[in-house]
Amino acid sequence: MASADGPAVELDKSHTSSARLVAQVVRAVGMAVPKKSVRSIHVVFTREFHVDSPLHYLIQIQQQTRPECSSTVTVRQRGRVVATATLTLHAAWHRRDWSAATDGLSIPGEAPLHPSAISGAGSEMWIRPPETSDDLAPALIAFATDLGNHDALGFDGEAAAGMTTAHSVWFHRPVHTGRWLLHRSSDPIVSAGRRFVRGEIMAADGSAVASYAREALN
């Protein structure tokens, strides 16, 4: 069992508080299990929380073999549980690597955030996270999974805290930052009091780096 504290972070309107929490969980578990890479994270939010207060993460390793590991994380703020997370990890990436054939993508100019297409509430945009170490890169990608879909989920950028009910990210390949990545999100599904959006982050050669799904109250 391990624990970590996430500092309060001032967010601009391009990010929600749920992405901050997901990114901090990815980083905290990566530090607790340094020889394995996070492959998936699934977070359920139990109550509203606030971006201006620290979060406390309690990490429990549920199962660990030489290649595999699974972990759960309980997230508290001001003594109350605000989210729970389940993660899977693996020690190596060199097994079979295949995905549907995709043509290479046209990399944009030097703008750090470049919307390339918008269809309904879905969108495509190029992002280039700052270059960092391989162990920190997955947290940056997790933090980027909410870009471009605030309107799809009904967020206004200021009252976003607590609106997300679930947020999942799957990492398909090693994450390298400091280069252009295409962030693609779907049109939302609105039903039964929930809004749902899914998306993916792709490398310039068209290969999938990560996929994500988010649900929020309608």
Side-chain angles (χ1 to χ4, degrees), residues 9-17 51 113 143 146-147 150 156-158 160:
V9 177
E10 182 178 349
L11 300 176
D12 60 28
K13 293 186 178 182
S14 65
H15 287 286
T16 65
S17 56
V51 297
L113 183 63
F143 189 53
D146 67 342
L147 283 170
H150 289 67
D156 63 10
E158 295 179 354

Side-chain angles (χ1 to χ4, degrees), residues 99-211:
S99 59
T102 304
D103 293 335
L105 305 171
S106 298
I107 299 175
E110 292 302 312
L113 183 63
H114 179 79
S116 58
I118 297 177
S119 174
S123 67
E124 291 185 351
M125 65 175 67
W126 286 94
I127 62 174
R128 189 167 62 181
E131 186 171 2
T132 188
S133 60
D134 290 345
D135 58 338
L136 184 58
L140 289 182
I141 296 302
F143 189 53
T145 56
D146 67 342
L147 283 170
N149 51 49
H150 289 67
D151 292 339
L153 289 174
F155 295 142
D156 63 10
E158 295 179 354
M163 292 184 65
T164 300
T165 57
H167 192 149
S168 296
V169 184
W170 296 264
F171 297 96
H172 308 304
R173 290 180 172 85
V175 176
H176 303 293
T177 55
R179 61 190 67 181
W180 286 107
L181 300 169
L182 180 65
H183 180 286
R184 176 180 292 162
S185 64
S186 68
D187 292 341
I189 299 170
V190 182
S191 177
R194 295 288 191 273
R195 290 173 178 257
F196 175 83
V197 67
R198 60 185 178 272
E200 59 186 346
I201 294 178
M202 304 173 67
D205 63 2
S207 60
V209 174
S211 301

Side-chain angles (χ1 to χ4, degrees), residues 76-81:
R76 294 178 179 271
Q77 186 177 70
R78 300 173 182 172
R80 301 192 305 172
V81 175

